[in-house]
């Protein structure tokens, strides 16, 4: 499970999600953000407010942006709905590539730390001359 944060950004400023939620996949996070965006939009429209300038920036546990979901995109009626899925696939592919890169960087960092620890242990174990 990955921890995701849903930051709400709009013309009046940004509201950071300090708690976040855990989801099994970025797709599940996208679906939840879309549901929340539609709910917020409905409430705003009922108050005769314009939700079109809002967007969710979804960040993962490294606080790096994973997805950007403009409310405008969710609220418009696409004449070619298959394009939305292509955009989602592209964003998901970028997210997977970024996750793999972070995983590799972490593995390299752990290996460097392990080598440094071995070196320190060997130095401590040797008698001072």
């Amino acid at each position: 499970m990955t921890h995701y944060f849903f930051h709400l950004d709009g013309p009046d400023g940004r509201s950071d999600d300090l708690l976040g939620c855990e989801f099994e996949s970025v797709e599940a996070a996208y679906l939840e953000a879309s549901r929340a965006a539609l709910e917020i939009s409905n409430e705003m429209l009922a108050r005769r407010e314009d939700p079109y300038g809002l967007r969710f920036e979804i960040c993962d546990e490294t606080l790096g942006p994973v997805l950007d979901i403009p409310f405008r995109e969710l609220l418009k009626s696409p004449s070619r709905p298959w394009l939305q899925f292509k955009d989602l696939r592209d964003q998901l592919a970028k997210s997977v590539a970024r996750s793999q890169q972070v995983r590799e960087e972490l593995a390299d960092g752990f290996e460097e730390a392990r080598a440094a620890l071995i070196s320190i242990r060997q130095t401590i174990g040797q008698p001072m001359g």
Side-chain angles (χ1 to χ4, degrees), residues 6-51:
F6 298 74
H7 305 304
L8 183 61
D9 196 13
D12 297 332
R14 179 179 167 115
S15 176
D16 286 333
D17 176 5
L18 302 177
L19 298 176
C21 293
E22 288 191 355
F23 293 95
E24 291 185 20
S25 65
V26 69
E27 294 91 350
Y30 171 83
L31 292 173
E32 179 60 24
S34 297
R35 186 202 58 74
L38 292 173
E39 187 176 303
I40 291 168
S41 297
N42 284 335
E43 291 171 6
M44 290 180 72
L45 290 169
R47 294 188 310 262
R48 298 189 182 273
E49 295 174 0
D50 182 9

Side-chain angles (χ1 to χ4, degrees), residues 29-91:
Y30 171 83
L31 292 173
E32 179 60 24
S34 297
R35 186 202 58 74
L38 292 173
E39 187 176 303
I40 291 168
S41 297
N42 284 335
E43 291 171 6
M44 290 180 72
L45 290 169
R47 294 188 310 262
R48 298 189 182 273
E49 295 174 0
D50 182 9
Y52 281 77
L54 297 176
R55 68 180 185 80
F56 272 126
E57 179 184 69
I58 301 178
C59 296
D60 62 11
E61 50 207 11
T62 66
L63 300 181
V66 175
L67 292 173
D68 184 60
I69 304 175
F71 284 30
R72 176 181 310 280
E73 295 299 314
L74 294 172
L75 298 173
K76 73 179 183 180
S77 176
S79 57
R80 298 179 293 180
W82 59 89
L83 291 179
Q84 283 185 327
F85 294 111
K86 180 188 179 306
D87 292 341
L88 178 59
R89 279 194 311 267
D90 292 345
Q91 286 183 347

